[in-house]
Amino acid sequence: MNSKPAQFSAIQRILHWTMAIMVLAMLFIGVTMVSTVGPVFITLVAIHKPLGIAILILVLIRLAARWWFGAPSLPENMPPVQVAVAHLSHWLFYALLLVMPLIGWGMLSAGGYPIVLWGSVHLPAILPHNDELHALLRYSHTVLAYVFFSVILLHIAAALFHALILRDGVFESMGSLRPRRRG
């Protein structure tokens, strides 16, 4: 592709907003899940596992869409430090979207727990049963969830800054439902 698009493609925007809802739901389900011992725990786990795998599949599709369609250019007057932080934060998002479900899957595998998607559909274990590895992966999953939540808050703050203060078109490249023309 020779020229940069004026905004993200429709599929990229749909994936972004769908995954945003899914990831926020995952974080709140995860926090509630680990802070309860009641019967709701089993329901939350039953939602958390397939939702994590769905996010893993969607991020792979999203990475392919990013490669295929590209991304709009950032404003030319944006300071180099902001450009670097924008690129770093986006790649951090992609890394977390890939790593979090894989760590969760590995954690359950190492703990000897079944990875039930729905009904009788189970995922295979990707790691051997190992209690120490399970504990390490559980700790890693928790720490990365806090990192993820922090990155999300910074991302929302940056989006609002671009939308409400700078009004430089950055927010509209992902937030607008209408096609945008370069100009």
Side-chain angles (χ1 to χ4, degrees), residues 8-31:
F8 287 96
S9 70
I11 189 70
Q12 288 171 298
R13 287 177 283 145
I14 290 166
L15 284 167
H16 175 273
W17 293 106
T18 301
M19 291 180 71
I21 292 166
M22 293 170 74
V23 167
L24 288 174
M26 277 297 268
L27 288 170
F28 287 106
I29 288 168
V31 167

Side-chain angles (χ1 to χ4, degrees), residues 89 152-164 166 168 170-171:
S89 70
I152 289 168
L153 291 177
L154 291 171
H155 184 70
I156 291 169
L160 292 174
F161 181 67
H162 283 282
L164 303 174
L166 297 179
D168 58 5
V170 170
F171 179 82

Side-chain angles (χ1 to χ4, degrees), residues 8 20-21 25 35 45 84 108 145 173:
F8 287 96
I21 292 166
S35 64
V45 169
L108 293 170
S173 71

